[in-house]
Structure formats: C-alpha cells, structure tokens
C-alpha cells in the first residue's frame, strides 16, 4: 500500500540523516570525514525524492484536495517539495565543490550540513505528524485503490532495495552494517 511505502521511505531518509549527523560529530571532534559518502547520501535524497518519493506523495495530496477539500498545510506541500529540492541541490553543489578540492571553511560546511539536516527533518516530521495521519484517517478503501492506480513506477530502492546502484555502494554498505566510518 502506498502509505506504507511512503512511511518506509521516510524511515530510510531518517537513517541517512543519522549518517550525516554522525559526520557533523566527527567534524566537530576535528576528525576527517569521507565527503564522497556525504555526496552519496545527499545525491540519493535528491534523486530518489524527486523521482519516486515526492511524486508519490503528490498523488496523495492532489487526490485529497480533489475529494476532501483544501487544507493549507496540504496545498503548500508541493511548493515545499520544490523548496526542499532547491536546498538539497544547493548543498549538493557545496559537497561537489569540496570533492573537486575547493576550499570551503569547515565551520561554514558544518553550518550548511546542519541546516540541510534540519530542513529535511522538519519536512519529514510535518508530514508524519500532520499530513499523513489526516490522509490516512480520511481515505477509504476506494480512495486507496484510486491512488494506487495512479502510481506506475518501479519500487526498487537504489540503496535499501535488493539491487544496490553502483553510485550508492558506500552508503548502502554503511546503512546495512550500521557502521560509522572514520574516514
């Protein structure tokens, strides 16, 4: 069911944000980090959200508004997805600059990383606490059938699925092992 898939994806995102949070702790302890892992996490959050996750949520939100009326918090979600996407790509650009040997002050990077994590967490928490319960409470069996018909993309997650995409090998290994790498 679509709601379970969305919530499962949210839990994946929370796990990846924890990996990034660990990077902040390492940097604050003046340890070096593997910036390519940061890039993989942010790239995954950007590409998977834009290609799979947010379009799936948008189906729910549009259906809700068509059949149950307009609520401000739901009407703003598509716009919020766009803003979150812009912020994610801006942060991804900073990480890519670092990987290309650009000098980015560590305190600025930490601040940007903290801001990125906070924006992601706020969005997830808002959806989990307000939006998804409202939809879950409102939708009946027929509604769920109708939204499921609108979703026709494959669901193999490139990090958490059965087949790991080559570009996400590092984070998949860390997430699956529950490790925190030091370099």
């Amino acid at each position: 069911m679509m709601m379970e898939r969305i919530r499962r994806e949210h839990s994946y995102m929370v796990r990846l944000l924890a990996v990034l949070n660990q990077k902040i702790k390492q940097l604050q302890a003046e340890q070096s980090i593997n910036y390519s892992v940061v890039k993989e996490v942010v790239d995954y959050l950007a590409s998977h959200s834009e290609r799979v996750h947010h379009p799936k949520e948008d189906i729910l939100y549009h259906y809700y508004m068509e059949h149950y009326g307009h609520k401000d918090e739901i009407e703003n979600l598509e716009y919020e997805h766009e803003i979150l996407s812009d912020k994610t790509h801006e942060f991804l650009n900073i990480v890519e600059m670092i990987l290309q040997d650009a000098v980015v002050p560590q305190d600025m990077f930490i601040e940007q990383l903290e801001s990125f994590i906070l924006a992601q967490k706020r969005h997830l928490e808002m959806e989990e606490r307000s939006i998804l319960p409202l939809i879950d409470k409102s939708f009946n069996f027929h509604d769920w059938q109708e939204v499921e018909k609108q979703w026709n993309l494959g669901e193999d997650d490139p990090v958490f699925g059965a087949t790991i995409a080559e570009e996400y090998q590092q984070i998949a290994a860390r997430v699956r092992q529950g490790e925190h790498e030091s370099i």
Side-chain angles (χ1 to χ4, degrees):
M1 194 158 151
M2 191 177 290
M3 183 65 81
E4 285 85 19
R5 291 191 304 268
I6 289 171
R7 287 202 161 118
R8 184 173 49 248
E9 290 167 358
H10 283 179
S11 73
Y12 295 161
M13 291 175 195
V14 167
R15 289 168 66 185
L16 293 174
L17 293 174
V19 169
L20 294 180
N21 218 25
Q22 182 64 28
K23 300 299 178 207
I24 291 172
K25 291 176 184 171
Q26 289 175 262
L27 288 170
Q28 290 171 333
E30 298 184 13
Q31 297 173 351
S32 60
I33 65 167
N34 184 337
Y35 285 94
S36 65
V37 170
V38 175
K39 180 188 181 293
E40 281 186 28
V41 170
V42 178
D43 182 68
Y44 168 85
L45 290 171
S47 65
H48 189 266
S49 291
E50 291 167 14
R51 230 179 8 44
V52 178
H53 185 71
H54 289 159
K56 198 180 304 169
E57 290 177 332
D58 291 341
I59 289 171
L60 292 181
Y61 306 152
H62 290 151
Y63 186 92
Y64 181 92
M65 288 189 299
E66 286 175 25
H67 295 85
Y68 293 94
H70 291 262
K71 296 234 183 253
D72 287 342
E73 59 267 20
I74 290 181
E75 285 186 39
N76 294 333
L77 279 173
E78 199 165 6
Y79 176 67
E80 189 169 317
H81 285 165
E82 291 173 20
I83 291 174
L84 201 58
S85 174
D86 291 344
K87 286 182 180 183
T88 301
H89 285 282
E90 287 172 17
F91 183 65
L92 186 57
N93 288 339
I94 293 170
V95 176
E96 287 173 344
M97 287 172 42
I98 290 170
L99 289 170
Q100 295 173 9
D101 294 327
V103 176
V104 176
Q106 187 167 314
D107 58 334
M108 182 188 130
F109 179 77
I110 291 171
E111 184 180 305
Q112 292 289 326
L113 181 52
E114 287 173 331
S115 176
F116 173 77
I117 292 169
L118 183 61
Q120 294 283 329
K121 282 184 176 181
R122 281 184 180 156
H123 178 75
L124 290 170
E125 288 172 4
M126 182 266 304
E127 287 181 337
E128 284 291 331
R129 290 188 179 154
S130 302
I131 306 303
L132 296 179
L134 175 64
I135 289 171
D136 207 19
K137 183 178 80 173
S138 301
F139 279 19
N140 60 38
F141 182 74
H142 173 75
D143 296 328
W144 287 114
Q145 286 181 318
E146 290 301 311
V147 295
E148 289 287 344
K149 288 179 190 174
Q150 295 179 42
W151 183 250
N152 57 7
L153 290 179
E155 290 284 330
D156 194 26
D157 190 284
V159 173
F160 297 93
T163 305
I164 306 304
E166 188 174 322
E167 66 267 27
Y168 301 125
Q169 294 290 323
Q170 291 183 85
I171 60 170
R174 278 168 184 77
V175 167
R176 289 175 189 254
Q177 296 170 359
E179 293 179 354
H180 301 291
E181 101 284 344
S182 59
I183 294 180

